Amino acid sequence: MKNQKELIISASAVELSHLDTSKPICVHIGENTLVAVPSTMTAMEAVNTINVLTGIVTPLLDAIKDACGTCGEQRDEGGGSCPFWDNCEPGRCPFEGVTGPQVELSDNARKLMGIPLDAKLELLPDKGEGLVCAADYKHDLTDVPEQMRTLFAIHGVCPGQLDELLMAEAEVWHG
């Protein structure tokens, strides 16, 4: 859709979907997502919709897992173990329990430091002190909703590698 101001769905595509054009549809809009479904559905229609959506979600989840590897997966670098494991507590993932940013500053402190209010912050620790600065990335693991982190954990996705891919804005799927 190059510079298209309206979304036009061809009659043949609507026919393939088996949507009843005489009934209203409900459009669900989310970040990077647009889904149109009937505004009311029978149980079988709901089952069919879930099946189609699962057919979309599963390859996306597989792409994330393939790109990240599994948590604790043995790797060639880092002495043969997961490079994200905390050296202080062997076998414990340092991303376990991540829920929010490591560093937070008040709006006033950000203004004084010249850091935009919407910028991510990065902590560069040193012995007895640390430097807080604007991060050079837009997203990290703290931007992933908790229910998605739980889903990824259930599937064994390495949160450290996911964090790296998020910060690098790496492409992981080509549909």
Side-chain angles (χ1 to χ4, degrees):
M1 285 191 301
K2 293 181 182 173
N3 299 322
Q4 191 169 335
K5 294 183 188 220
E6 292 183 19
L7 176 64
I8 300 169
I9 302 172
S10 69
S12 60
V14 173
E15 189 176 317
L16 285 171
S17 73
H18 300 282
L19 283 173
D20 184 345
T21 57
S22 68
K23 294 182 180 178
I25 63 167
C26 184
V27 177
H28 297 270
I29 301 168
E31 198 161 333
N32 306 313
T33 308
L34 178 67
V35 178
V37 296
S39 60
T40 61
M41 290 187 239
T42 65
M44 192 64 220
E45 289 169 336
V47 167
N48 290 335
T49 301
I50 292 167
N51 186 46
V52 169
L53 293 173
T54 300
I56 296 167
V57 169
T58 300
L60 288 169
L61 185 55
D62 288 345
I64 293 275
K65 188 173 180 179
D66 289 347
C68 295
T70 56
C71 188
E73 178 179 51
Q74 296 297 308
R75 298 180 187 261
D76 292 335
E77 63 260 355
S81 64
C82 178
F84 300 102
W85 278 5
D86 189 345
N87 292 331
C88 298
E89 295 182 50
R92 183 179 176 276
C93 179
F95 292 91
E96 188 178 294
V98 168
T99 57
Q102 280 186 318
V103 179
E104 292 186 35
L105 289 177
S106 68
D107 290 353
N108 191 39
R110 283 175 177 261
K111 287 177 187 173
L112 288 170
M113 295 172 71
I115 298 174
L117 297 178
D118 62 344
K120 287 251 178 225
L121 299 175
E122 188 172 12
L123 172 64
L124 305 172
D126 200 358
K127 293 186 189 238
E129 62 185 16
L131 173 65
V132 175
C133 56
D136 60 353
Y137 53 86
K138 293 180 191 174
H139 301 287
D140 62 23
L141 194 60
T142 64
D143 296 311
V144 177
E146 184 178 348
Q147 67 270 19
M148 293 305 303
R149 289 195 312 269
T150 300
L151 176 66
F152 294 145
I154 289 167
H155 288 282
V157 171
C158 174
Q161 187 61 33
L162 178 57
D163 191 50
E164 296 283 327
L165 293 172
L166 291 166
M167 289 189 292
E169 297 185 50
E171 289 184 1
V172 298
W173 189 66
H174 301 91

